């Protein structure tokens, strides 16, 4: 017994004095720790100050009912339940019953509310009992932030993200700059996996990240997005992109990238404009024609025999879409009617003996290497040269009409923009400024890639021919006497690898007669360009149409037309009396609705979301919107009595 007592005394002394500090430290570490308070990421803004991406605070609210004095609880539970009922819904009795039950069960981490905003969090802190803080009031708030896009999913792939999915777009490129500095606070363990703050203040306050000012114009972005979406839906296309660029500065004012889901809906699936390198087809003929003009191989009046619209080169067929061909026409007309035979004959005759001369010109037009964006995922161009293994007897000729090469829509746009910009090739850019606490830290200036891609003489001729494409060429279907446009259509067959079709048949690799890429690239106004634009649409339903003029051209026209009518364009006279049928129709419907003496809820189905919201808010209703595009349904039926202040929910498609 004596020996046992001595052993116990030795053990106590050992624990208390020899290892005492070590065990006390361990106990503290197991019950108290530092928690990270994540800083809000910086915001992403449009050029006009509209928010494109921001961090929103969300809070889960818990209550430690053990720390709340029983007398205090009984005196204030009714008032607390009333406040919770007002904010969260459900009856006062419901909340009172929940709180009493949790108190009886001695709950230390009882959930009160989930995902409430910052404003409601501040209000809740002032509720009875909660206003006494962490220990006396048992108020526990778990804070987190989530990324929100106030204008919806528009331009989502370009705005990008930096999260579990990786780094993409603008947010991915500037992740370190936008991250901010995290804060710290001490928390104490109150139960298994449950921790609460030790005090009402933070050990270190978080510092929010820094802001990005983009070149995006929300109005032009909205126009571009909906013009592309409408056309993709009609033609049931697989995917497409549309980009609007300010000619002089290279600023991207709008970029839309939409891919189709299995259910036929479209969303920002990939950044096709930057990422997708593909065979461009006839939009590349501009490079071929410009090279031949600049090298003085031809003039616009040079006669080219397109024969009957079909020729064979080393056994491979080159064919015009126009049956029977165009016969003998000028080089300018070759471009205007997009004669494949004509452009191939021009390049074959003048560069077949020295193809490297043609390649040099193509390189000076920015097609042989990536543009070099800060955002990740830019596609790699493929332009074969005589030194490559892939070079063959028809490589030069196929290149001349946009086959056997691979370039991105942004490269094509940069080239077309240079033609519009008097030959000065500027780099497309998405960022205007970097800001720290409203102070500009860095301004991104225009970067000149090539100070002069061609002579004034060549450029003047090229611009006129491009204008004629719209006036009397392949894109005459989009011609308008009220505003001028210039550009080039493109229709390319898609090359498909060996595959098994829907009928179970094995199809060898080759160009498809069912799958096409329709495109249109150009600028407006034609005589003094303010904006350049490219539209590319992949796999439109062939039965509905697949030519660039039919599928992509109308998107270009709608973008140009709406920018003309909503955005000032320098030195362009627009007649106020001009009647643009669709716009006038929409305006007339909107104006008629607005001027009615409404006593009933109007029917806004089929109206554009922006018009419907404006109309209904002017009538005194509160409007909530989900989706994008035109109004598909409304929560208050047409003919219901109009009650000002009432909420109406619109679902857009």
């Amino acid at each position: 017994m004596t020996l046992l007592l001595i052993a116990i005394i030795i053990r106590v002394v050992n624990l208390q004095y020899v290892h005492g500090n070590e065990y006390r430290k361990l106990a503290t570490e197991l019950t108290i720790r530092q928690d990270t308070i994540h800083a809000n990421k910086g915001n992403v803004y449009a050029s006009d100050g509209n928010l494109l991406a921001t961090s929103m605070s969300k809070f889960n609210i818990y209550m430690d009912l053990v720390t709340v004095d029983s007398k205090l609880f009984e005196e204030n539970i009714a008032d607390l339940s009333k406040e919770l009922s007002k904010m969260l819904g459900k009856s006062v009795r419901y909340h009172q019953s929940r709180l009493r039950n949790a108190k009886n069960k001695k709950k230390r981490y009882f959930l009160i509310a989930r995902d409430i905003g910052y404003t409601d969090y501040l209000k809740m802190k002032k509720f009875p009992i909660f206003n006494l803080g962490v220990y006396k009031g048992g108020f526990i708030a778990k804070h987190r932030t989530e990324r929100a896009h106030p204008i919806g999913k528009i331009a989502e792939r370009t705005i990008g993200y930096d999260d579990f999915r990786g780094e993409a777009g603008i947010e991915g490129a500037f992740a370190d700059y936008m991250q901010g500095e995290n804060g710290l606070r001490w928390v104490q363990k109150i139960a298994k996996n449950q921790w609460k703050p030790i005090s009402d203040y933070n050990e270190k306050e978080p510092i929010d990240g820094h802001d990005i000012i983009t070149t995006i114009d929300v109005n032009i972005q909205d126009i571009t997005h909906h013009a592309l979406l409408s056309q993709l839906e009609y033609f049931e296309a697989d995917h497409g992109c549309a980009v609007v660029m300010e000619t002089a500065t290279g600023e991207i004012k709008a970029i839309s990238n939409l891919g189709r889901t299995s259910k036929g809906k479209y969303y920002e699936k990939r950044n096709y404009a930057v990422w997708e390198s593909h065979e461009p087809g006839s939009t590349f003929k501009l490079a071929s024609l410009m090279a031949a003009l600049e090298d003085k191989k031809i003039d616009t009046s040079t006669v080219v025999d397109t024969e009957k619209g079909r020729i064979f080169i080393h056994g491979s067929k080159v064919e015009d879409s126009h049956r029977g061909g165009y016969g003998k026409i000028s080089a300018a007309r070759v471009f205007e009617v997009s004669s494949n035979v004509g452009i191939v004959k021009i390049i074959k005759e003048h560069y077949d003996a020295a193809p490297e001369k043609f390649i040099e010109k193509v390189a000076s037009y920015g097609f042989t290497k990536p543009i070099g964006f800060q955002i990740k995922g830019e596609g790699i161009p493929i332009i074969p040269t005589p030194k490559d293994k892939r070079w063959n007897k028809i490589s030069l000729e196929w290149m001349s009409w946009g086959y056997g090469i691979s370039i991105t829509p942004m490269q094509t746009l940069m080239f077309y923009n240079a033609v519009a910009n008097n030959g000065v090739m500027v780099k497309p850019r998405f960022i205007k400024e970097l800001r720290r606490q409203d102070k500009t830290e860095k301004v991104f200036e225009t970067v000149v890639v090539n100070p002069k891609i061609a002579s004034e003489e060549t450029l003047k001729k090229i611009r006129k021919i491009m204008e004629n494409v719209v006036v009397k060429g392949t894109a005459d279907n989009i011609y308008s006497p009220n505003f001028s446009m210039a550009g080039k259509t493109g229709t390319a067959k898609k090359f498909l690898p060996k595959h098994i079709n829907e009928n179970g048949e094995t199809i060898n690799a080759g160009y498809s007669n069912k799958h096409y890429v329709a495109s249109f690239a150009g600028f407006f106004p034609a005589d003094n360009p303010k904006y350049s634009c490219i539209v590319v649409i992949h796999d439109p339903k062939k039965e509905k149409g697949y030519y660039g003029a039919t599928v992509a051209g109308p998107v270009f026209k709608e973008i140009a037309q709406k920018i003309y009518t909503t955005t000032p364009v320098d030195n362009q006279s627009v007649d106020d009396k001009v009647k643009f049928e669709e716009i006038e129709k929409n305006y007339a419907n909107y104006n008629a609705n607005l001027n009615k003496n409404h006593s009933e809820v109007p029917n806004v189905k089929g109206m554009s979301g922006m018009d419907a919201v404006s109309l209904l808010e002017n009538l005194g209703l509160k409007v909530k919107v989900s989706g994008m595009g035109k109004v598909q349904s409304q929560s208050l039926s047409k003919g219901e009595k109009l009650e000002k202040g009432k909420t109406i929910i619109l679902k857009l498609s």
Side-chain angles (χ1 to χ4, degrees), residues 177-416:
Y177 183 85
M178 299 177 71
Q179 205 60 51
E181 297 179 28
N182 293 332
L184 296 170
R185 79 183 308 178
W186 286 101
V187 293
Q188 185 176 30
K189 191 172 186 179
I190 56 174
K192 185 179 180 181
N193 297 324
Q194 295 178 3
W195 300 75
K196 76 173 185 179
I198 288 178
S199 61
D200 291 325
Y201 57 87
N202 297 322
E203 185 76 13
K204 177 186 176 185
E205 293 295 334
I207 300 173
D208 289 347
H210 310 310
D211 299 330
I212 307 291
I213 314 301
T214 72
T215 61
I216 300 294
D217 181 294
V218 170
N219 178 52
I220 298 177
Q221 180 66 47
D222 185 68
I223 290 169
T224 304
H225 172 87
H226 287 101
L228 177 65
L229 176 62
S230 177
Q231 200 76 337
L232 289 172
E233 288 177 336
Y234 176 77
F235 283 97
E236 301 177 50
D238 182 73
H239 65 275
C241 66
V243 187
V244 179
M245 179 173 169
E246 191 171 71
T247 305
T249 65
E251 291 186 1
I252 300 300
K253 309 313 287 185
I255 178 169
S256 183
N257 297 279
L258 298 173
R260 193 171 190 258
T261 68
S262 58
K263 295 181 179 179
K265 298 293 183 181
Y266 292 89
Y267 72 107
E268 290 262 341
K269 200 171 183 179
R270 294 292 300 260
N271 196 334
Y272 300 111
V274 172
W275 164 76
E276 189 165 32
S277 185
H278 65 95
E279 289 180 306
S282 293
T283 53
F284 194 78
K285 289 175 183 173
L286 180 64
S288 299
L289 181 66
M290 182 181 286
L293 286 171
E294 186 67 6
D295 285 343
K296 305 296 184 183
K297 304 293 186 182
I298 62 167
D299 195 2
T300 54
S301 59
T302 300
V303 176
V304 183
D305 187 1
T306 66
E307 303 179 29
K308 293 183 179 180
R310 179 185 293 182
I311 60 172
F312 288 86
I313 300 176
H314 298 294
S316 295
K317 182 174 66 175
V318 180
E319 189 173 27
D320 287 337
S321 60
H322 178 67
R323 287 193 175 186
Y326 300 97
K328 294 180 180 181
I329 56 177
S330 68
R333 192 63 181 158
V334 164
F335 187 83
E336 291 165 7
V337 298
S338 198
S339 170
N340 301 326
V341 171
I343 201 72
V344 167
K345 276 194 163 188
I346 290 171
I347 299 305
K348 178 176 174 56
E349 179 182 351
H350 298 290
Y351 292 98
D352 212 32
E356 62 278 0
K357 296 293 184 182
F358 182 75
I359 302 298
E360 286 175 11
K361 276 287 187 287
V362 171
S364 71
Y365 300 155
F367 289 121
T368 56
K369 59 184 179 181
I371 294 172
F373 293 114
Q374 287 171 302
I375 61 178
K376 294 181 179 180
E378 184 180 1
I380 305 299
I382 299 172
I383 303 291
T385 71
K387 295 180 180 179
D388 296 338
K389 289 182 180 179
R390 72 183 73 190
W391 188 268
N392 57 52
K393 294 179 180 179
I394 63 170
S395 289
L396 175 68
E397 288 77 10
W398 253 239
M399 187 186 304
S400 69
W401 58 310
Y403 285 97
I405 62 173
S406 186
I407 56 178
T408 67
M410 290 300 291
Q411 286 182 296
T412 300
L413 178 62
M414 183 172 73
F415 173 56
Y416 273 69

Side-chain angles (χ1 to χ4, degrees), residues 79-97:
D79 290 336
L80 174 58
S81 298
K82 286 178 185 177
E83 296 300 328
L84 291 174
S85 178
K86 289 178 188 176
M87 177 178 287
L88 305 176
K90 301 285 181 75
S91 66
V92 174
R93 181 180 294 180
Y94 168 82
H95 290 288
Q96 202 163 344
S97 175

